Amino acid sequence: MLLAIDQGTTGTSCLVFDLEGELVGRAYREFEQHFPRPGWVEHDAAEIWEVTHAVAGEALDDAGAEPGELEAVGITNQRETVVCWDPQTGEPLHRALVWQDRRTAARCQELKDAGHEDSIRAKTGLVLDPYFSATKVEWLLRNVDGLAERARDGRAVFGTVDSWVIFNLCGEHVTDATNASRTLLLDIESGEWDAELLDLFGVPERSLPRVVPSCGELARTRADALHGHEVPVAGVAGDQQAALFGQRCFEPGLGKNTYGTGSFVLLNAGTGKPEPGEGLLATVGWQIGRSTTYALEAAIFVTGAAVQWLRDQLGVIEVASDTEALAESLESNDGVYFVPALTGLGSPHWDPYARGTIVGLTRGSSKAHLARATLEAMAYQTVDAVRAMERTGSEPLQELRADGGASVNRWLMQFQADVLGVPVVTPAVPETTSFGAAMLAGVGASLLTLDGVAGMVSEQARFEPRMGEDERATLLEGWGRALERSRGWAFE
């Protein structure tokens, strides 16, 4: 059996798979979110570990796994969140600063104004934004009494959530290449912490974890930390990279979209570091041995959240699944478009001043038009992200592998295939993030091969494009016109 620990932003899921990829046990538990000030988001790292430890035991019990039957552990996690702890006692020295935390926005702007963004982007593939880890570490060093001295002396260490979980499981301070690539401190070409970036943010290298590949025997669990199981931690990846692996996007040109509150589009960019292109991020997809696979990434802020808005703010629908029948009830969108820029626009536009916009309404417009326009917007935003990736010179997208809550909406999946012009495939195992972590662990423990994972039954449904070029072009032109009307609407 393989245990996948999926440590997320609001809770921890643990799933147990057999070596055929079948799910045989699972458990889940939430933990508390802390909001000490507007824009600040924190977690209690000790609670994260307590919940993770308990849920792992419950999942192993659900699978009936006796000591000796568990072969390896895979870990996937919320990315960019920073934990700080005493390496001798294991006690957290401050609450974890969560990826959603915006307290360092002014510092990021200061660094941009000083001209640092281009060099940072060239090394890390990322943009200067409080989303990433470096300015969070810097904030802790500057604002927690005595922490900077402790970090210099080796009495305080930092890590993303994967490293915190591994420390508690195994007593070692390591992180994998995918999580390290989200910190703004890693040169993603050399795979090493960058001395100039460490100096810029004031982070002592000795306080950071050792960077290891995404699979292999990365550490070994202590029996007392994992309910009697002493096994290798053999696979680790940040959540979106784990989903890319779980969707078996092993070749350049294969990509996935996770349709959640927002959406994350990742495209396998091969083994050479890609130029991220305007509005995109370049990141480590996974590292196996000395071979690094890179990915291009687009973060779309509002997709499923727009459906929630229809339900909770407008009362247009009772449940999210109502949108499918409403969209199907119309022969076309009748020129109605909804740009769901409810929190600005993310990749590839990055316009914080855009606002939600509905255009094309007439007296004949109904709630069906709003529902359909909301689903169409998910697909159009995905097209924008994919086209931006293709403009970088990457391999053209062969097919889009879809997961997340909205991937069960068959109307949306067909429309996505139509406007992209490539097949859309939904997976047989919907928990692609946990599945990816488990399969990485299976490969890392030499229990599985990449070819074996690629050959596992993967498709639940396949949606082939059936829309003509003229209709596709007309729809995308209308979306582009609507998008322009949403841009720059708000001003500070």
Side-chain angles (χ1 to χ4, degrees), residues 45-392:
E47 185 186 8
I48 285 178
W49 168 242
E50 289 165 8
V51 167
T52 299
H53 180 262
V55 172
E58 292 165 10
L60 291 166
D61 288 345
D62 188 45
E66 299 293 335
E69 292 184 322
L70 183 66
E71 300 270 12
V73 174
I75 295 171
T76 185
N77 54 283
Q78 54 168 312
R79 304 179 299 174
E80 298 94 18
T81 294
V82 170
V83 185
C84 178
W85 68 94
D86 183 322
Q88 298 301 316
T89 66
E91 291 298 314
L93 299 175
H94 192 276
R95 281 183 182 160
L97 305 192
V98 181
W99 60 271
Q100 298 161 316
D101 191 285
R102 306 297 294 179
R103 75 185 67 185
T104 63
R107 174 58 173 156
C108 289
Q109 188 60 52
E110 179 183 315
L111 289 164
K112 288 180 186 179
D113 293 342
H116 291 292
E117 182 156 46
D118 287 348
S119 62
I120 289 173
R121 188 155 168 75
K123 291 177 178 180
T124 69
L126 308 177
V127 296
L128 255 175
D129 192 275
Y131 176 36
F132 303 107
S133 308
T135 55
K136 302 182 198 304
V137 176
E138 181 186 58
W139 187 93
L140 289 167
L141 288 166
R142 290 181 172 185
N143 290 276
V144 178
D145 286 345
L147 186 60
E149 182 181 356
R150 293 184 63 151
R152 285 195 300 270
D153 295 344
R155 294 180 292 117
V157 295
F158 300 94
T160 42
V161 171
D162 61 309
S163 62
W164 171 241
V165 173
I166 293 170
F167 179 84
N168 282 281
L169 280 172
C170 310
E172 296 195 34
H173 191 212
V174 299
T175 188
D176 100 290
T178 70
N179 280 290
S181 76
R182 310 299 293 186
T183 61
L184 282 178
L185 297 172
L186 189 84
D187 183 323
I188 62 171
E189 190 162 23
S190 70
E192 297 179 354
W193 301 120
D194 184 84
E196 291 181 355
L197 294 176
L198 295 176
D199 183 62
L200 177 65
F201 292 103
V203 181
E205 185 169 0
R206 71 180 300 182
S207 70
L208 295 177
R210 178 168 53 92
V211 181
V212 298
S214 307
C215 75
E217 185 159 336
L218 311 179
R220 196 166 187 87
T221 65
R222 303 188 309 263
D224 61 335
L226 193 61
H227 309 281
H229 298 274
E230 274 188 81
V231 296
V233 172
V236 181
D239 53 9
Q240 299 306 321
Q241 289 97 327
L244 188 70
F245 193 90
Q247 286 277 32
R248 304 166 188 82
C249 296
F250 297 155
E251 301 295 330
L254 292 177
K256 69 90 189 172
N257 190 10
T258 299
Y259 297 82
T261 301
S263 291
F264 288 89
V265 183
L266 270 72
L267 179 73
N268 184 320
T271 54
K273 176 189 169 185
E275 290 300 321
E278 187 176 353
L280 301 174
L281 307 175
T283 195
V284 173
W286 51 78
Q287 184 183 342
I288 298 177
R290 295 184 177 181
S291 177
T292 300
T293 294
Y294 294 92
L296 290 171
E297 177 172 330
I300 300 168
F301 292 161
V302 175
T303 52
V307 176
Q308 295 172 330
W309 179 74
L310 289 184
R311 181 192 66 197
D312 300 337
Q313 268 68 43
L314 299 190
V316 168
I317 55 173
E318 292 185 5
V319 293
S321 58
D322 290 346
T323 56
E324 184 168 3
L326 287 168
E328 281 182 327
S329 71
L330 300 173
E331 291 186 7
S332 76
N333 66 11
D334 293 325
V336 176
Y337 290 87
F338 173 28
V339 182
L342 306 179
T343 56
L345 288 169
S347 297
H349 312 291
W350 294 105
D351 183 351
Y353 303 113
R355 288 294 178 266
T357 305
I358 300 170
V359 299
L361 296 176
T362 68
R363 283 290 303 271
S365 301
S366 67
K367 67 179 183 179
H369 288 90
L370 291 181
R372 180 169 176 139
T374 302
L375 296 184
E376 286 191 1
M378 294 187 193
Y380 296 138
Q381 291 182 99
T382 303
V383 171
D384 288 347
V386 170
R387 297 294 177 256
M389 291 175 177
E390 292 176 344
R391 284 195 295 273
T392 67

Side-chain angles (χ1 to χ4, degrees), residues 15-31:
L15 280 70
V16 182
F17 295 89
D18 65 21
L19 295 183
E20 283 71 49
E22 295 294 324
L23 179 62
V24 295
R26 70 188 307 161
Y28 173 75
R29 192 181 298 181
E30 292 186 352
F31 54 84

